[in-house]
Amino acid sequence: MPPQAYAGKECVCQHRKRICDQSCVQGMLETPFYIACLRLTGRRCLVVGGGNIGLEKVEGLLACDATVTLVAPDAHLELIQLALEGSIRWERRPYEPSDLDGCLIAIAATNVSEVNIRVFEDAEERAMLVNVVDVPPLCNFILPAIVRNGPLAIAISTAGASPALAKRMKREIADAFGEPYAQLAVLLNQARGWAKATLATYQDRKEFFESIVNGEPDPIELLRAGDVHAVVDLILAAQRTFAPA
């Protein structure tokens, strides 16, 4: 898209151009992102900005059992309630670089570009994970759309190109991979202890689980029909087949 399409829109990234020309995001679609799932339980995470977007990011971190600190002079009523009940710590003041101390992740969600840039640069100096909402060049990680169902979590990313497309994909994937897949994941997890104790090699365990997941009858179709016992029988049969003589 030509620069003139952004006439009048101020630059919001670290390049501080007078008018945004989108030159800083040209390489985003070619960026090979390393996809990972982070265990945040008990980890300190920082959110800077107390508006609607800040609330969304705080709720996402709390859903993963993170220890959340919010820094903002003012905050959404729901954020205030979370602070009052002790679910988050609220520092009612402007951002300071020391707020990053001890944090694994920082998310900047203010409407002040200079503050967001400071959070990004300070976090980069500490080699931290940092995300400035809706400014891909000020992120060393991006937050994908997530489909959650029990133990299943499916992430959808468009490399920042189109959150709207990611949301559509999220809806369609949620419909395609629903409750039966979550049920099967739980049942297979219950067999992990047996597999580790009984099957000597990784390849043996891999073949055991694949024989169930890809076998006949299809365990997903059985679960869609509500026949959990039939799937349990499939797993027991596979254990008998793969158990050493």
Side-chain angles (χ1 to χ4, degrees), residues 20-157:
C20 173
D21 64 3
Q22 293 286 288
S23 60
C24 57
V25 298
Q26 293 305 308
M28 289 294 293
L29 298 183
E30 288 77 40
T31 300
F33 285 99
Y34 184 80
I35 306 298
C37 297
L38 301 179
R39 180 180 294 176
L40 296 184
T41 301
R43 292 279 199 171
R44 186 179 169 200
C45 299
L46 175 70
V47 175
V48 182
N52 290 328
I53 302 300
L55 172 63
E56 176 189 327
K57 302 309 176 185
V58 165
E59 289 178 335
L61 292 168
L62 289 177
C64 297
D65 296 326
T67 299
V68 181
T69 297
L70 170 71
V71 173
D74 299 293
H76 190 287
L77 286 176
E78 291 186 42
L79 287 169
I80 294 173
Q81 182 58 42
L82 289 172
L84 290 173
E85 70 188 30
S87 296
I88 65 172
R89 174 184 168 191
W90 179 23
E91 296 289 346
R92 192 172 184 176
R93 55 168 174 75
Y95 162 77
E96 299 172 359
S98 60
D99 292 324
L100 298 171
D101 294 346
C103 292
L104 175 67
I105 289 174
I107 298 176
T110 82
N111 58 2
V112 181
S113 296
E114 289 303 314
V115 173
N116 292 337
I117 292 169
R118 283 179 57 206
V119 174
F120 171 75
E121 292 179 343
D122 292 343
E124 277 280 276
E125 287 180 0
R126 291 166 168 78
M128 286 176 54
L129 293 172
V130 58
N131 178 284
V132 175
V133 175
D134 203 31
V135 188
L138 298 185
C139 303
N140 58 27
F141 79 99
I142 58 177
L143 294 166
I146 303 292
V147 176
R148 294 188 188 276
N149 193 329
L152 297 183
I154 304 171
I156 305 104
S157 171

